Amino acid sequence: QVQLVESGGGLVQAGGSLRLACAASGRSFSRNNMGWFRQAPEKEREFVAVIKWSGSTFYADSVKGRFTISRDNAENTVYLQMNSLKAEDTGVYSCAASSQSFGGVSYYETFYDYWGQGTQVTVSS
């Protein structure tokens, strides 16, 4: 059974940092794209960042320059380093993985087949 489990969320002051982790189990995702999405209260879930199987990374404009996505294939884990956090970064952050090997990048939820439960990030202003 494939599972994605996020950790690292919490409460932080504006300007602070958090590092999220998403540990995958049940299969290897070294050949697959993995991404992070977030959902703020009363808003639609939105794309945050994706890291391809090749290591290439892509970000939403709202987090570019502040967030960094990375992966450790040996640990089957993807990370999201979040710096200079703002109140508008508040939300539930979920990691996602595609089942397609060596796929192209996608910013859309429907591209991803596996999802974690999410971890709450709250940024106080």
Side-chain angles (χ1 to χ4, degrees):
Q1 180 181 0
V2 175
Q3 279 192 313
L4 302 180
V5 180
E6 301 95 337
S7 61
L11 174 64
V12 63
Q13 287 189 332
S17 298
L18 282 174
R19 188 189 194 210
L20 306 183
C22 172
S25 61
R27 58 162 286 178
S28 171
F29 286 101
S30 62
R31 301 178 179 183
N32 308 83
N33 298 347
M34 298 187 74
W36 285 96
F37 289 74
R38 68 186 181 188
Q39 186 168 20
E42 301 182 0
K43 290 191 176 181
E44 297 290 320
R45 186 158 56 186
E46 64 176 3
F47 166 78
V48 174
V50 60
I51 183 164
K52 288 188 63 178
W53 51 270
S54 61
S56 298
T57 57
F58 301 86
Y59 300 92
D61 288 343
S62 59
V63 307
K64 205 170 292 183
R66 300 187 298 120
F67 290 12
T68 302
I69 188 171
S70 61
R71 65 192 300 164
D72 183 336
N73 288 333
E75 296 293 328
N76 217 19
T77 298
V78 64
Y79 301 96
L80 186 68
Q81 177 67 44
M82 306 186 294
N83 298 330
S84 303
L85 282 161
K86 305 175 181 179
E88 50 264 44
D89 293 318
T90 293
V92 176
Y93 283 69
S94 300
C95 71
S98 168
S99 62
Q100 182 183 11
S101 297
F102 309 120
V105 69
S106 176
Y107 311 124
Y108 299 102
E109 295 180 43
T110 53
F111 180 77
Y112 297 88
D113 304 285
Y114 305 103
W115 290 84
Q117 296 275 31
T119 185
Q120 177 69 45
V121 171
T122 303
V123 184
S124 63
S125 56

